Amino acid sequence: MDNYTLVAPCHFGLESVLKREIIDLGYDISEVEDGKVSFEGDAEAVCRANICLRTAERVLLKTGEFKAVTFEELFEETKRIPWENYIPSDGKFWVTKANSINSKLFSSSDIQSIVKKAIVERLKSVYHVEWFQENGNDYPIRVSILKDKVTIGLDTTGNSLHKRGYRPAAGKAPISETLAAALILLTPWRRDRIFVDPFCGSGTFVIEAAMIAANIAPGLKRNFTAEQWTNLIPQSEWEAVRKDAEESENKNITVDIQGYDIDGEVIKIARENARMAGVEDLIHLQQRPVEQLSHPKKYGFIITNPPYGERLEEKKDLPAIYGALGKRFKELDSWSAYIISSYEDTEKYMGRKADKNRKIYNGMLKTYFYQFMGPKPPKKNSERTV
């Protein structure tokens, strides 16, 4: 079976989380760059990465990498790639996206056009045809140019991996599933610890936490572009990986995962999303304002995405919202709080400086992941068995 270099893009600043995920799947990392992690794998790795990775945005099968500072170089180097090894004679292929950063070639539309033309010329000479019907399966191509280094790959995923298939409707100010999962994995939270999101909205944080706790693969409920690439990946590989993922699930667990929101309508959406994700029995969802945040037990976690006040008329409400959160957090003995927000006075209203602070882009919006860490719980005395 052929080995490939696979490229998994992710949110900037969260490469370490994705790297750990890929290593845990059993694959060797070849390179870590800003916003992406590359690794080596076979056809099974394409299936497993798409179905099992929680923090990647998609999985690209790298077909070539080279330097180009002119469109002529871009054309010739692209043409040199053995596209016939990837795209059959009836394949439908197009450059779905091209981006360029700090490079001499910067026109996305021109890059897309030239790469497509180069692939056509290559395949014409191999398949001995002058016109491609392109009535077969889809083979979308993505091009990335960074400091004149061109990376070209086939998009094995299709719709971004944040589209798990459980959230047809989003509440207000949603956070993407991949970002939510990455932020949870950045914390020390484990399924035996309490998890509360007092601004749960459509439920993304609590659903992702429940899926992590039950070891539910995030891509089980959706399809991928590369499932049609039987010339590269046998259908049996997808079936085997899905079966393995299903057998690895464990919903027979006891967890304390709670989501609250002041808006009863989004709580209804959250419940439906949790049902679609198959974790409704693992989550407690309730309409409740942040002022009523409380819990009788120690060493819990608040992990949340509060309102940012992006609309001017909402800004005036933020001191009260964050002030209430800070007050309730102070009353929760030995708890930790992890908050993603663009609100510049978050620390002020939380009543203390964050122990750690990480800059993260939520879409195009610059936010910070404030980490207020509580003490570790005492280790449980393990009984010795003879």
Side-chain angles (χ1 to χ4, degrees):
M1 190 174 287
D2 290 337
N3 266 341
Y4 305 110
T5 296
L6 304 175
V7 182
C10 64
H11 280 82
F12 282 92
L14 297 174
E15 298 85 2
S16 61
V17 183
L18 176 55
K19 177 184 175 182
R20 188 167 70 238
E21 271 203 286
I22 293 168
I23 291 171
D24 288 345
L25 286 182
Y27 301 114
D28 293 329
I29 304 295
S30 52
E31 191 173 16
V32 178
E33 302 171 87
D34 286 346
K36 62 182 176 181
V37 179
S38 300
F39 60 104
E40 304 302 316
D42 54 11
E44 183 196 52
V46 175
C47 309
R48 198 168 295 279
N50 274 298
I51 291 170
C52 298
L53 289 177
R54 301 184 189 279
T55 64
E57 292 301 309
R58 61 184 63 251
V59 179
L60 306 176
L61 190 160
K62 186 160 80 171
T63 57
E65 191 170 83
F66 51 85
K67 183 178 179 180
V69 295
T70 67
F71 285 121
E72 183 179 356
E73 286 179 327
L74 178 64
F75 179 88
E76 292 299 333
E77 292 298 328
T78 300
K79 187 179 174 183
R80 207 185 302 275
I81 295 169
W83 290 102
E84 64 276 9
N85 293 348
Y86 307 102
I87 302 173
S89 58
D90 66 344
K92 179 182 178 182
F93 57 96
W94 73 102
V95 182
T96 181
K97 187 170 183 180
N99 60 58
S100 176
I101 301 173
N102 296 333
S103 302
K104 290 183 174 63
L105 303 179
F106 55 84
S107 168
S108 295
S109 59
D110 287 337
I111 293 166
Q112 288 173 290
S113 174
I114 287 166
V115 168
K116 165 80 177 190
K117 184 178 178 183
I119 298 171
V120 168
E121 290 303 310
R122 169 79 186 202
L123 294 181
K124 278 168 63 175
S125 65
V126 173
Y127 293 130
H128 307 293
V129 295
E130 287 299 316
W131 179 261
F132 289 95
Q133 295 290 333
E134 295 195 56
N135 56 2
N137 294 317
D138 292 349
Y139 291 81
I141 296 156
R142 288 185 170 237
V143 182
S144 173
I145 307 180
L146 176 62
K147 296 179 180 177
D148 300 323
K149 184 176 80 171
V150 182
T151 304
I152 304 182
L154 289 168
D155 179 7
T156 72
T157 302
N159 288 330
S160 172
L161 288 176
H162 81 268
K163 295 187 177 181
R164 315 284 208 216
Y166 70 71
R167 190 173 73 170
K172 56 186 178 183
I175 188 169
S176 79
E177 291 82 346
T178 48
L179 179 53
L183 295 179
I184 294 168
L185 293 174
L186 264 182
T187 77
W189 178 79
R190 298 296 178 265
R191 72 184 187 190
D192 60 342
R193 305 283 291 277
I194 303 156
F195 185 114
V196 176
D197 181 358
F199 303 97
C200 73
S202 55
T204 309
F205 265 129
V206 290
I207 292 171
E208 291 295 320
M211 291 177 73
I212 291 168
N215 198 34
I216 298 173
L220 266 180
K221 291 182 179 291
R222 54 159 294 172
N223 296 316
F224 306 95
T225 299
E227 287 186 67
Q228 307 303 317
W229 300 354
T230 51
N231 61 316
L232 297 176
I233 305 170
Q235 195 61 39
S236 59
E237 293 286 1
W238 293 99
E239 293 168 0
V241 171
R242 281 200 166 91
K243 183 180 178 182
D244 184 46
E246 287 169 354
E247 291 175 350
S248 298
E249 287 183 13
N250 181 16
K251 296 183 185 178
N252 188 27
I253 55 176
T254 301
V255 291
D256 188 346
I257 300 173
Q258 304 181 26
Y260 306 118
D261 201 282
I262 195 171
D263 187 340
E265 290 304 310
V266 298
I267 287 293
K268 290 178 183 177
I269 293 172
R271 286 201 179 101
E272 176 59 17
N273 290 342
R275 187 191 68 78
M276 292 283 290
V279 295
E280 68 271 32
D281 294 337
L282 301 177
I283 300 170
H284 174 71
L285 293 161
Q286 185 180 354
Q287 183 180 359
R288 182 194 288 190
V290 66
E291 289 83 1
Q292 295 178 17
L293 172 62
S294 64
H295 202 288
K297 294 183 180 179
K298 295 185 176 184
Y299 306 110
F301 282 72
I302 296 169
I303 303 179
T304 191
N305 174 42
Y308 301 164
E310 290 310 298
R311 290 196 291 268
L312 194 61
E313 63 272 20
E314 295 175 347
K315 286 274 189 191
K316 65 182 187 319
D317 299 327
L318 296 185
I321 292 171
Y322 283 78
L325 176 60
K327 184 178 180 181
R328 299 317 304 159
F329 175 54
K330 190 175 181 181
E331 297 297 318
L332 289 165
D333 183 29
S334 69
W335 277 49
S336 301
Y338 294 82
I339 302 167
I340 180 171
S341 179
S342 65
Y343 184 44
E344 61 275 8
D345 287 331
T346 295
E347 290 173 308
K348 172 184 172 182
Y349 288 104
M350 287 298 291
R352 58 182 267 200
K353 188 172 177 61
D355 298 288
K356 288 185 179 180
N357 193 359
R358 185 186 287 244
K359 182 167 69 175
I360 292 168
Y361 280 87
N362 184 4
M364 298 301 293
L365 182 65
K366 184 172 72 173
T367 63
Y368 292 91
F369 192 44
Y370 297 96
Q371 302 168 60
F372 303 92
M373 300 175 185
K376 292 181 181 178
K379 290 186 178 179
K380 297 176 182 176
N381 292 325
S382 57
E383 294 183 4
R384 296 179 65 185
T385 57
V386 179

